[in-house]
Each structure stands twice: as structure tokens, then as C-alpha cells.
Amino acid sequence: MSLFPFAFLDEQSKKEIRRAVLKGVAIPGYQVPFASREMPIGRGWGTGGLQITLSLIGESDVLKVIDQGSDESVNAVNIKKLVQKTTGVETTIHTSEATMIQSRHRIPEVPLRNDQIMILQVPEPEPLRHVERSEFKTKQMHAEKEYSGAYLLLFEQIMRYNQTSQGADYPVFVHDRYVMNPSPIPRFDNPKIHQSEALMLFGAGREKKIYAVPAYTKVKSLAFDDYPFEIEKFEGKFCRATGLSNVFLDEFTDEETGETYYLCNDTSYMQEYLDQKRGI
Amino acid sequence: MAFHHTQKAFRTILDALSFPGKINQLDEGEIDMESFNSKTALVCETLLDSEVTFHVIEEEQSITHILRAFTGSHLTDLNKADYVIIPQETSIERIINSLSLVKIGNLANPHKSATIIFEVDSLLNGYYYELTGPGIKIKTELNCTIHPEIIEKRREINVEYPLGIDFILIDSRGNVVGIPRTTQITEVM
């Protein structure tokens, strides 16, 4: 017998997290407070996402964990191992096989389905934190739908650089009510949340917040009429391995030639694409 | 094991509230709670514990005793309860009067609102409603025995979004449907 309960957390903790998840689903984009538990990984390393995963997961689930597009990075592997060892569930690297996907900083390239749940790890859930340090006051701002501060941040970026310089965690407006941090996914992934087929859950362990965007929900990236929202562009650039250009690319430098090249950031998608091409 | 049971039940409830109007099936509950539908008992077992409060719209004391014993949850007044349970035989008038009293949260804390666990006769036939809102692709239909006056009352209560109440509907066959506050319901004549 394992020394730990099924899915590590005790039933009481799961219940509380589950209730917070349900409230989050009922109020899209609203940050529901919860009593974040101590986890065997450091706060800020995905404890929020992990607690949601552990509270939801059951014997028949298939889990995929990604860290910045990779299934094989230390953080992803450790989280996957912890869940696997305390539940015995199957894990996968293939997006289409997973019932639950926990992720840090990316939404997979493979389109999600409505029988899948996307769980994103959130370091900073509060989109107004750079405007106002006090949690008490930001909470009041959300209550009053007072979001000029969020726009002001983008406006300042435009004044300085003639474009928004926010690469990741670009704020979105959810169901015409709440401004929300989508977690540090690249802007490239923001449109995937809008009218997504899958439920998306967001967990911030250190900040003790859970929030959600149900499927088929209006999610709009903040923008101005004369400075519309734009995703990262990779014009003229393509993945060296697959030749794909309609995906999020990582930039690398060839150490021998000093040449710059690009690869798909979503490594499992890259592998699937190559396997298919080779007819495997 | 009981925890697998509640885990499965939770995922069913989560799916129901994530996709309003979708008919989900709950497993048979393991705990017998007398007058309650066994599926209602399972939902209570899944969501309630000593950190939350409940209220049952009923004169009888026995069911509240059983709920307390099985979940550790605290009985409280209707206007303070986190979970309000409406048993199947409750009259329309009683339901409407009760709903006007439940908590709907405040603008800073819209989550401090009641979740209504509502036993209905059927979620497969009865009045014809059209649902729209988050979790619904364009629109969906719900056929259920909930009286239009109750739906109208719900609309009044939920008028100032994000304040409002969320429903978990359970019928006598164990079908379950979630209706969060974001769902717009119109009756189709």
C-alpha cells in the first residue's frame, strides 16, 4: 500500500478545491480563493495546477503534463511522476490521448476537445497587480469592473515601444465581465481560449486562487481600436525539423555555424508530425 | 472505495456545470439518506463537509440530522446556507419563496452565494427551454418539469451578474444537469 492517499491530497482538501473549481466555472474569469496546501514541490512551481489535477483525477484518466511545450522537462516529469505514483493513472505525451492536460506556459498546438480538461499553472493570477499592490484594492476593482489600470499598462507599452510589449500572460476579458491573466502562455495561445472546446482551469498555489474559463466562452485579449491585439508573428520563419510555420516557434543558435534556426515549441506535436511524415 | 465514488460524482457535477443543459448520469449513491433520492445523497456526500453549511427546504427534521451525520456539514438558516437542497415534493410557491431568501454573494465575493441542489421529477420531458451562455455552443435545449415561474424567479435573482445562484438539478432517474448563473434560459412555447 502507498503511504499516501489516492492522488496525494486528503479527501477534505480535495473537497474544498473541488468546490472552488465549481464556483470558478460558474463565474468565468473570477478568482476564487482557496486554502492552498503544502505540496512536495516548491510554491511557484506549479502547486496550483497540481492541486487541481489531484482533486479532479480518477482511475480512468489519462494525464499529459507539459512545461513550456515540453513533456520531458524536469518540472513536467516530476509532476507527472508524483501524480502517476499516487494514482496509478496512465500518462501520455499525445495531446489527443489525454483526458487531462496540466501545463505550464503553453496550450498545445493540437486542438482540444470537449471531453478534455486543460489545467494551467499560474504564478500571478492578478492582472491588476502591477497597477495596485493591495489585494484588498484589486478585489474592489474587479468588483467595480474598474479596469482602466489594465488598459493603462498596455497604453504605456504602446507609448514606449509603439506596440504592446507584453509577450506572455497578456490579459484577457472573459465573458464581458472579468479581466483575467491567462497564465504566462504566449500571446499566440490567447485566441485558443476564446470559444475553446475544452474547459480550462487555472490554479495559483502560492497566491491561493483558482479560476476557470468554460468551453464556448467569449474571451477577448485587451486591445485598443487603433492598436488591435496581435499574436507573435513568425513570418519567413519555420521549424527546421518539420518546416511548419503556423505554430509557436522557439529560436535557437547553431553553436558551430552561429546560424539562427527555429523549432516547434510544442515538442510532442513536432514528434507526432514527424512520425506521421515518416509513416510511423 | 468511497473516495473513488465521490471523485466520479464530482467529475459528473463538474461536467454538468461546465456544459449547462447537458444530461449527465450519476452513479448510484452508497449512502441511504431516507427521503432523498440516492443521487441527491451522493451529490451531498461529494460537496458537503464541515467547512460549509446547508439548508433543506422541508419541515421534517430527520433528513437534516442524517445529512449532518453523514457529511459533518452544518445546518443553518436559509439566507446563510452555502448549499440549499430542494426535495422533490416541494411546492412551486414554497420554492419561489425560499429562493428569494438565499444568498447571492456580493460584488467583491460573488462566490459566497448559494448552490441549489434541486430534485426535479424529470430532466427529459416537461417544459421546453432554450439555454445559451458559457459552456454552450450557440444554444441547447432542456426539457424538464421545472415550472416556468421558478425559472422566472431564478432570472430575477441572477439579474445582477456576477451575483447569483447556481443549480444542480437531479431527476428521479439520476440524470443530472448543471445550470450556473451565466446560463440564460428562455421558455419555448
Side-chain angles (χ1 to χ4, degrees):
Chain A
M1 270 302 278
S2 165
L3 287 167
F4 297 104
F6 179 83
F8 188 78
L9 291 169
D10 59 282
E11 291 306 302
Q12 197 98 23
S13 300
K14 284 182 198 164
K15 241 181 208 183
E16 198 237 339
I17 294 163
R18 288 168 182 170
R19 286 191 296 249
V21 167
L22 293 181
K23 289 286 185 190
V25 168
I27 317 167
Y30 169 71
Q31 300 166 49
V32 185
F34 81 110
S36 187
R37 265 60 180 183
E38 284 296 332
M39 288 274 103
I41 56 171
R43 285 194 167 164
W45 289 88
T47 54
L50 181 59
Q51 288 177 77
I52 294 179
T53 299
L54 292 171
S55 302
L56 262 65
I57 204 159
E59 287 171 310
S60 57
D61 278 306
V62 180
L63 179 72
K64 172 181 166 79
V65 183
I66 348 168
D67 179 2
Q68 208 110 262
S70 170
D71 294 77
E72 275 118 37
S73 79
V74 178
N75 197 221
V77 169
N78 279 336
I79 288 174
K80 201 155 38 180
K81 268 190 186 162
L82 176 72
V83 180
Q84 214 273 332
K85 281 189 176 171
T86 56
T87 60
V89 301
E90 266 183 68
T91 60
T92 182
I93 64 160
H94 302 293
T95 301
S96 60
E97 286 175 3
T99 58
M100 291 169 69
I101 303 162
Q102 182 177 332
S103 170
R104 171 179 177 267
H105 302 190
R106 271 318 299 280
I107 295 172
E109 302 290 357
V110 178
L112 301 173
R113 298 185 312 262
N114 60 17
D115 59 342
Q116 296 177 309
I117 298 175
M118 182 82 218
I119 297 155
L120 285 151
Q121 300 168 197
V122 180
E124 175 52 81
E126 183 47 71
L128 301 170
R129 188 58 72 230
H130 291 294
V131 184
E132 173 55 62
R133 275 194 297 176
S134 155
E135 168 69 14
F136 181 79
K137 286 183 186 160
T138 50
K139 212 167 161 51
Q140 205 56 41
M141 288 173 172
H142 284 290
E144 292 164 3
K145 208 178 173 182
E146 166 49 52
Y147 290 129
S148 46
Y151 283 97
L152 194 60
L153 287 176
L154 296 176
F155 178 72
E156 282 175 351
Q157 292 171 5
I158 290 170
M159 291 310 285
R160 211 166 286 170
Y161 308 109
N162 200 30
Q163 61 178 1
T164 57
S165 58
Q166 184 120 7
D169 222 346
Y170 190 102
V172 293
F173 206 35
V174 181
H175 190 46
D176 294 324
R177 180 57 182 84
Y178 286 104
V179 168
M180 179 190 100
N181 269 1
S183 88
I185 53 172
R187 274 176 296 157
F188 187 86
D189 286 344
N190 273 20
K192 294 178 188 166
I193 313 174
H194 175 65
Q195 301 292 339
S196 154
E197 289 282 321
L199 167 66
M200 301 212 180
L201 301 174
F202 300 79
R206 189 184 49 206
E207 305 294 326
K208 303 184 169 75
K209 295 284 168 56
I210 283 173
Y211 50 102
V213 177
Y216 318 122
T217 299
K218 184 177 169 192
V219 176
K220 205 168 168 281
S221 300
L222 299 193
F224 301 96
D225 288 346
D226 49 347
Y227 281 87
F229 172 77
E230 281 179 352
I231 60 169
E232 293 86 346
K233 288 211 176 88
F234 301 101
E235 272 165 33
K237 297 163 186 167
F238 51 88
C239 169
R240 188 162 83 170
T242 60
L244 291 169
S245 58
N246 58 343
V247 293
F248 194 76
L249 296 172
D250 280 339
E251 186 180 295
F252 295 89
T253 306
D254 193 313
E255 287 188 6
E256 281 172 15
T257 62
E259 197 188 337
T260 301
Y261 67 97
Y262 299 89
L263 286 174
C264 291
N265 168 269
D266 185 338
T267 50
S268 70
Y269 178 66
M270 181 161 75
Q271 194 189 319
E272 282 169 14
Y273 186 88
L274 291 174
D275 286 350
Q276 206 182 8
K277 227 170 141 186
R278 292 191 202 108
I280 296 172
Chain B
M1 300 285 249
F3 57 82
H4 287 312
H5 218 71
T6 49
Q7 183 274 333
K8 273 186 82 179
F10 169 69
R11 286 289 285 278
T12 306
I13 298 166
L14 175 61
D15 198 55
L17 277 164
S18 303
F19 298 95
K22 180 178 169 188
I23 310 276
N24 273 285
Q25 271 284 336
L26 280 165
D27 288 342
E28 203 59 47
E30 283 182 345
I31 300 174
D32 182 21
M33 292 195 199
E34 244 183 76
S35 59
F36 276 172
N37 178 332
S38 72
K39 317 289 166 90
T40 311
L42 178 60
V43 171
C44 291
E45 190 195 348
T46 305
L47 298 177
L48 272 53
D49 65 14
S50 61
E51 285 177 32
V52 293
T53 56
F54 74 92
H55 188 95
V56 184
I57 314 287
E58 210 175 25
E59 310 297 345
E60 269 181 75
Q61 292 293 301
S62 63
I63 188 68
T64 59
H65 283 301
I66 294 169
L67 258 184
R68 277 158 78 180
F70 275 116
T71 64
S73 181
H74 306 286
L75 173 67
T76 189
D77 295 337
L78 182 57
N79 60 350
K80 292 182 192 144
D82 300 314
Y83 291 86
V84 173
I85 301 144
I86 307 177
Q88 197 173 321
E89 301 306 325
T90 317
S91 70
I92 295 170
E93 199 188 7
R94 182 91 195 269
I95 294 171
I96 289 173
N97 290 339
S98 304
L99 286 180
S100 2
L101 295 172
V102 302
K103 61 176 183 182
I104 58 168
N106 59 56
L107 284 172
N109 293 294
H111 67 288
K112 291 187 176 171
S113 54
T115 300
I116 318 292
I117 299 171
F118 190 1
E119 282 187 350
V120 302
D121 188 36
S122 174
L123 289 167
L124 297 174
N125 50 60
Y127 300 96
Y128 213 50
Y129 296 107
E130 196 172 270
L131 317 183
T132 55
I136 301 165
K137 194 174 187 174
I138 308 171
K139 62 184 177 185
T140 189
E141 282 154 2
L142 179 66
N143 230 269
C144 71
T145 49
I146 302 174
H147 196 274
E149 280 178 34
I150 298 172
I151 299 293
E152 175 55 22
K153 185 73 205 171
R154 172 196 175 269
R155 196 192 58 76
E156 280 171 28
I157 295 167
N158 288 354
V159 77
E160 199 187 345
Y161 181 79
L163 307 187
I165 49 176
D166 311 307
F167 282 85
I168 298 169
L169 312 174
I170 304 159
D171 81 2
S172 46
R173 292 195 193 126
N175 296 310
V176 59
V177 166
I179 307 285
R181 65 196 73 181
T182 48
T183 305
Q184 304 292 319
I185 308 181
T186 44
E187 195 189 353
V188 182
M189 299 293 179

